[in-house]
Amino acid sequence: MDSHIVERYDDTAVNCLTGSYSILAGIAGRPVEEQAVFERGDGYLFQAGLDESGYPEYIFPVEEAGALGMTRSAFTVHKEPIDFEAPGAQLAALLERHRAVIVWVNTAHLNYADVYRDNAPYLHAVVVDGIADDHGHVNVHDSLVVDLKPFGCRALVTLDDLVGAASDRIRSEAHDAMGFFYAVSDDLATGTGASEDRDLGGVLTRQAERFFAEPRFREAIRRYQALCEECFAGPPERATHGARRLFHHASVLYAVPSLKLLARSLHAAGASEETLALHDATVRHWEAMGVLALRYEATSSPAVLKRITQRFDQLDEATVRLWESMAGRSA
C-alpha cells in the first residue's frame, strides 16, 4: 500500500509542533488549544538563525515553547529514542501506552502530498496515532501542510516511508530533535501536577519581560536583517531563494500567523486599544515585508532592497513598542 491522504480539511495549525501537541492533548482526553500552548510556552517570542538549508529564518524556539506549554498545561512530555532496528514493534508499544506520538520528519519522504514531493525538504512534525497489525503502515495526522492553500490531513503512510522520514537527518539552528518519538501523559489524571492558571494578562506580561531580558529575543529582528542582507549579497540564485524564504517567514509560516494568534490572546486578555493598535501596525509591517520580498525575488532591484532595509527599521521599532505596551512600560 502506498502512502496517501485519506481525509483532507481546511483547518490548520499555526505551527506543526504546537498543533501536534494540541492533538495529543485531545487524544489524551483533556484538550489544550494551540493558542494555550503558545501562551503558556512563551511562544510569541521570536529568535533568528539559519534554517536547515542555511537560509535566514525568523522563528520562535519551537521545541522549547512546545514542551514548556505542555508542562505548564500539566502534561509530562516523554521523549524516547527511535529504535531504527525494530521501529514497528517500538511504535506499537508506545501507541498501546500513550495512544499517539509526535515524530519529527524530513518532508522529502512524505509521499502522501505533492507539495512534499515537489519542493525542497524541510523539518516537519506529525502525529502518529495508529499502526497496522502487520506494521506495514501507520496512521498520520498532519496538522499543517503548507501548500498554496494550507490544509490539514489524515494519511496512511507506509512504515518504510515514516522510518525514512524520521532517519534522514536534517537540522537547523532552531531544530535538532530528530530521532525521537514524543508522547504526553496527563498529570491532572494522575494527581501529580497542576495546570497553570490562565491569567492571560500575567502570561503575556511574562513574555514581554523575557523579550527585554533575553538578547536572543530583543535582537532577533536585527539579527534576521543582518542574515538576510548577507544572503542577498551572495550569488544571484541564493539571493533569489533567500527573498522567497523571507516572504514565507514573514507572511506564510511564522511572523503573520503567530501575530494573528497573538491577537486572539490580546483580545481574550482585555488588552488596551493602544496595544491592539500597535499589534495591528506590526502585522501590517510584516505583510508589507512579504510583498517587498516577492518584488525583490522578481527584480533584484537595489531600490526594493533599500525599502526592505527601511521596513526592518520600522519592524524593529514597532515590535519594541508592542512589547513595551504589553509589559505596561512607558514608551
Side-chain angles (χ1 to χ4, degrees), residues 48-320:
L50 297 175
D51 69 13
E52 54 268 19
S53 300
Y55 285 93
E57 69 176 359
Y58 180 76
I59 186 173
F60 69 99
V62 176
E63 286 94 357
E64 175 187 330
L68 185 59
M70 293 304 290
T71 298
R72 287 174 172 164
S73 299
F75 285 88
T76 295
V77 177
H78 306 277
K79 178 180 177 180
E80 183 169 318
I82 298 174
D83 180 0
F84 288 107
E85 297 298 318
Q90 179 192 26
L91 184 55
L94 283 171
L95 295 180
E96 177 70 22
R97 189 158 69 248
H98 296 291
R99 300 179 61 189
V101 299
I102 295 170
V103 60
W104 280 104
V105 294
N106 181 331
T107 57
H109 302 269
L110 298 183
N111 294 314
Y112 54 83
D114 292 344
V115 66
Y116 294 140
R117 294 193 297 266
D118 298 341
N119 291 280
Y122 60 91
L123 279 167
H124 186 52
V126 298
V127 172
V128 180
D129 58 6
I131 187 168
D133 291 341
D134 64 359
H135 298 174
H137 69 270
V138 298
N139 301 328
V140 163
H141 191 160
D142 190 333
S143 63
L144 178 61
V145 182
V146 185
D147 207 341
L148 291 175
K149 180 177 175 15
F151 64 93
C153 72
R154 292 184 177 276
L156 282 178
V157 177
T158 67
L159 185 64
D160 287 344
D161 279 352
L162 181 72
V163 170
S167 61
D168 188 1
R169 190 171 178 79
I170 187 170
R171 63 178 296 179
S172 72
E173 289 187 1
H175 301 282
D176 189 19
M178 293 193 74
F180 298 89
F181 289 123
Y182 296 83
V184 300
S185 57
D186 185 354
D187 296 339
L188 293 186
T190 60
T192 58
S195 183
E196 179 182 88
D197 182 15
R198 286 192 65 185
D199 171 13
L200 278 184
V203 167
L204 297 177
T205 298
R206 177 185 65 209
Q207 293 195 45
E209 294 299 337
R210 286 193 68 189
F211 174 83
F212 291 104
E214 298 183 39
R216 61 171 170 154
F217 301 134
R218 173 62 185 85
E219 300 167 7
I221 288 178
R222 289 306 187 189
R223 185 180 182 215
Y224 187 45
Q225 177 182 1
L227 291 171
C228 286
E229 290 176 349
E230 181 181 351
C231 181
F232 297 155
E237 183 178 353
R238 177 171 172 78
T240 298
H241 188 69
R244 173 57 62 130
R245 294 297 290 161
L246 172 56
F247 162 72
H248 280 141
H249 280 77
S251 300
V252 180
L253 294 175
Y254 298 117
V256 170
S258 294
L259 281 166
K260 288 183 176 179
L261 195 64
L262 174 59
R264 286 161 44 183
S265 298
L266 290 172
H267 282 286
S272 69
E273 291 300 321
E274 177 191 13
T275 298
L276 295 174
L278 289 169
H279 167 274
D280 291 346
T282 306
V283 172
R284 289 195 295 272
H285 283 308
W286 276 116
E287 289 174 338
M289 179 66 83
V291 173
L292 288 171
L294 290 179
R295 289 179 181 170
Y296 189 69
E297 178 191 22
T299 66
S300 300
S301 165
V304 175
L305 184 58
K306 182 178 180 180
R307 292 176 64 190
I308 289 175
T309 299
Q310 293 170 341
R311 189 64 64 174
F312 270 122
D313 291 340
Q314 293 169 316
L315 266 171
D316 188 54
E317 179 183 356
T319 301
V320 170

